[in-house]
Amino acid sequence: MLEQPAIEAKKVFKSFKTVQAVKGVDLQIERGHFVAILGPNGAGKTTLVEMIEGIQTPDSGEIKVLGKTWKNHSAELHREIGLCLQDTRFIDKLRVIETLRLFGSFYGLHNDRVEEVIDLVGLDEKRRAYVVNLSGGQKQRLAIGLSLLNKPAILLLDEPTTGLDPNARREIWAILNRMKEESNATLLLTTHYMEEAEQLCDYVIIMDQGIILKEGTKNELLGEKKSLDDLFIDLTGRHLNE
Ligand SMILES: Nc1ncnc2c1ncn2[C@@H]1O[C@H](COP(=O)(O)OP(=O)(O)OP(=O)(O)O)[C@@H](O)[C@H]1O
Ligand SMILES: [Mg+2]
């Protein structure tokens, strides 16, 4: 049998009262690919990604992860995916190492894996620090560390670097690029930053107002355009970060 795609969405719709957040999205992401969903505030990125994560249910349409639906395979899928929500709340009075061990225990992992992850996300020096005292970038690296504990086949990150300074952003990119070299995981991230999509991802999906405007490899998308920002203005008449 042919290998199923990592993520597949067909004609997915989702509304909240008066807002149509996602309006008929189709997408297919192959295993091992790094894909960015690029779009401004309110584009529907979080709603779409949370449906892929099984946190929200589509009003209509179908989502499959590794060929499976959330309805019938939620326990298996939870073992296969790692996720990082747009805003992670930690337990302030736990230390970094305690937080990682606690989450590791949910997966029945040994402390060896916790040590690997603490090294991977560069938090060894902060292992005894209380989470409440971490900087924004360190908190985000911890959140990514938690999402990597179970060696997920699919990693879903919702705006992993929003609000971070350029240095902290590059540290996160380095972690993800290392993951790309060392594993065959699939990554889907959302972002407002053109540069992030360009630095990390082979394939970019441009989303606005609940629909996919355009998608492709960077080269396919750019064509004659100088930057993805120029392309976005062409598609919508606005800057991405307006
Ligand atoms: N739980 C909810 N209840 C009501 N409206 C919602 C809810 N969640 C999202 N929306 C609306 O759906 C639309 C899409 O929101 P969503 O959070 O998916 O966008 P986004 O692309 O993730 O934006 P951002 O870049 O700001 O995170 C917005 O108009 C938002 O106000
Ligand atoms: Mg969002």
Side-chain angles (χ1 to χ4, degrees):
M1 202 177 85
L2 268 174
E3 206 177 43
Q4 305 271 10
I7 299 168
E8 207 174 3
K10 284 189 188 147
K11 296 194 176 62
V12 170
F13 285 80
K14 178 79 182 177
S15 295
F16 304 99
K17 292 195 178 131
T18 56
V19 185
Q20 281 187 294
V22 174
K23 300 187 281 200
V25 163
D26 288 289
L27 61 82
Q28 181 160 324
I29 296 174
E30 301 306 330
R31 294 189 196 204
H33 285 199
F34 271 36
V35 176
I37 300 179
L38 182 67
N41 289 127
K45 303 182 298 296
T46 295
T47 308
L48 177 60
V49 169
E50 289 191 350
M51 289 190 283
I52 295 168
E53 292 166 345
I55 294 171
Q56 301 204 46
T57 314
D59 297 334
S60 63
E62 185 182 65
I63 290 184
K64 282 187 177 168
V65 179
L66 299 168
K68 296 170 184 152
T69 58
W70 279 100
K71 189 161 175 279
N72 298 321
H73 300 275
S74 69
E76 290 154 74
L77 288 178
H78 278 300
R79 282 193 291 274
E80 298 276 10
I81 69 166
L83 58 89
C84 201
L85 301 177
Q86 188 160 353
D87 186 15
T88 308
R89 301 278 160 82
F90 300 104
I91 304 167
D92 289 351
K93 292 291 163 60
L94 283 187
R95 299 176 198 274
V96 166
I97 185 73
E98 291 166 341
T99 304
L100 283 159
R101 285 185 181 159
L102 175 68
F103 278 75
S105 73
F106 298 156
Y107 295 106
L109 298 174
H110 290 290
N111 286 342
D112 299 2
R113 179 60 188 158
V114 169
E115 291 304 318
E116 276 173 26
V117 167
I118 214 168
D119 176 55
L120 185 64
V121 298
L123 284 176
D124 194 38
E125 274 176 29
K126 291 284 168 187
R127 61 166 49 232
R128 305 270 314 148
Y130 286 108
V131 168
V132 67
N133 296 328
L134 296 179
S135 71
Q138 290 162 347
K139 279 194 181 123
Q140 197 53 20
R141 278 188 273 145
L142 177 58
I144 290 176
L146 296 177
S147 73
L148 293 175
L149 275 168
N150 60 331
K151 299 190 178 167
I154 301 182
L155 186 62
L156 299 147
L157 305 176
D158 196 358
E159 297 195 21
T161 68
T162 296
L164 301 185
D165 66 41
N167 218 12
R169 181 166 300 145
R170 283 202 192 91
E171 285 168 359
I172 302 245
W173 294 348
I175 295 167
L176 297 173
N177 274 323
R178 188 169 153 197
M179 185 186 91
K180 192 180 206 172
E181 280 164 23
E182 294 178 358
S183 76
N184 43 18
T186 308
L187 171 71
L188 177 62
L189 63 79
T190 72
T191 184
H192 297 176
Y193 302 114
M194 237 63 78
E195 200 191 348
E196 182 152 290
E198 290 182 356
Q199 289 281 330
L200 280 177
C201 296
D202 330 295
Y203 196 84
V204 181
I205 295 171
I206 300 179
M207 191 171 176
D208 190 30
Q209 300 185 359
I211 59 170
I212 292 176
L213 296 178
K214 212 170 171 75
E215 60 182 291
T217 62
K218 269 173 281 183
N219 288 340
E220 285 167 359
L221 284 177
L222 284 173
E224 306 286 284
K225 302 281 178 306
K226 277 205 269 327
S227 70
L228 288 176
D229 198 29
D230 287 348
L231 173 65
F232 192 81
I233 295 166
D234 233 42
L235 292 169
T236 66
R238 309 192 307 280
H239 280 283
L240 186 60
N241 290 319
E242 244 168 37

